[in-house]
Amino acid sequence: MSDYYNAFEMSPVPAPGPDAAAPEPFRGIYGMPAFVTIPTSDLAASVDFWTHGLGFFELFSIPGRLVHLRRWAFQDVLLLTAQSVPQQPPAMSFSFACVLSQVDSLVEACRAVRPNSVDGPRDTPWNTRDVEVITPENARIVFTAAKPFDPASQEARNLAAIGITPPDLGRGDNEEHA
């Protein structure tokens, strides 16, 4: 028996598919279960890249000190003024979900704001299409879009080999686990 169960109804991320639509930007106020804080030595340039390149919006700011950015629910970033930023991007990255239809426009928007900021897109063995972006603060950000699941694909075999099988097609079987 597996301890895992389908709980997709908790997530703003839509089920993968050719018609998957990104949720609208989420403007509600909630207790953030997780967020990333990124130091920046140029708050205006950082906000410009994150909003025009990566598609975030400014939820609120403390002028000259902090800007709270968001895309979907639970995709929060705090840009915090700092004296300096790392000279090189770290090996560590932070990932945000997107949908396949956003990948190309995200790449184009990032390259328009900062030409050499994007690596990819590339497909992964775990059935996603990923784009790696190096921000002006030298943060390594990955946008990852689930690809439609093909049970006959190599990706499906890769996942099955580690014990991950596709959930039922329907959503909402979390009731017995909540």
Side-chain angles (χ1 to χ4, degrees):
M1 179 174 148
S2 173
D3 290 337
Y4 302 111
Y5 52 90
N6 183 347
F8 274 80
E9 73 274 6
M10 295 178 59
S11 175
V13 180
D19 60 345
E24 291 296 316
F26 190 82
R27 298 181 185 280
I29 301 297
Y30 52 75
M32 296 184 298
F35 59 93
V36 62
T37 301
I38 299 180
T40 176
S41 56
D42 187 341
L43 195 56
S46 293
V47 169
D48 183 63
F49 184 79
W50 283 81
T51 56
H52 294 105
L54 298 175
F56 283 74
F57 68 91
E58 188 174 322
L59 188 63
F60 69 84
S61 69
I62 300 171
R65 298 191 59 200
L66 173 133
V67 175
H68 183 157
L69 301 172
R70 181 177 295 152
R71 282 179 78 239
W72 304 350
F74 313 120
Q75 292 187 340
D76 293 275
V77 174
L78 303 181
L79 296 174
L80 184 65
T81 301
Q83 293 292 355
S84 63
V85 298
Q87 293 295 317
Q88 297 294 320
M92 183 186 85
S93 65
F94 194 88
S95 297
F96 292 98
C98 65
V99 295
L100 283 173
S101 63
Q102 293 179 307
V103 170
D104 291 339
S105 61
L106 179 104
V107 168
E108 290 172 18
C110 286
R111 286 185 176 147
V113 178
R114 197 162 184 248
N116 297 317
S117 61
V118 178
D119 182 21
R122 67 179 162 273
D123 291 341
T124 68
W126 46 90
N127 207 41
T128 64
R129 181 160 298 142
D130 291 1
V131 175
E132 183 179 275
V133 179
I134 304 300
T135 70
E137 314 80 28
N138 277 326
R140 187 178 307 275
I141 303 299
V142 176
F143 278 80
T144 184
K147 296 181 345 191
F149 186 77
D150 176 0
S153 69
Q154 181 60 50
E155 290 88 351
R157 290 187 292 279
N158 294 342
L159 293 170
I162 60 171
I164 298 174
T165 56
D168 294 336
L169 294 177
R171 289 181 168 219
D173 70 348
N174 192 31
E175 288 79 19
E176 69 182 76
H177 302 285

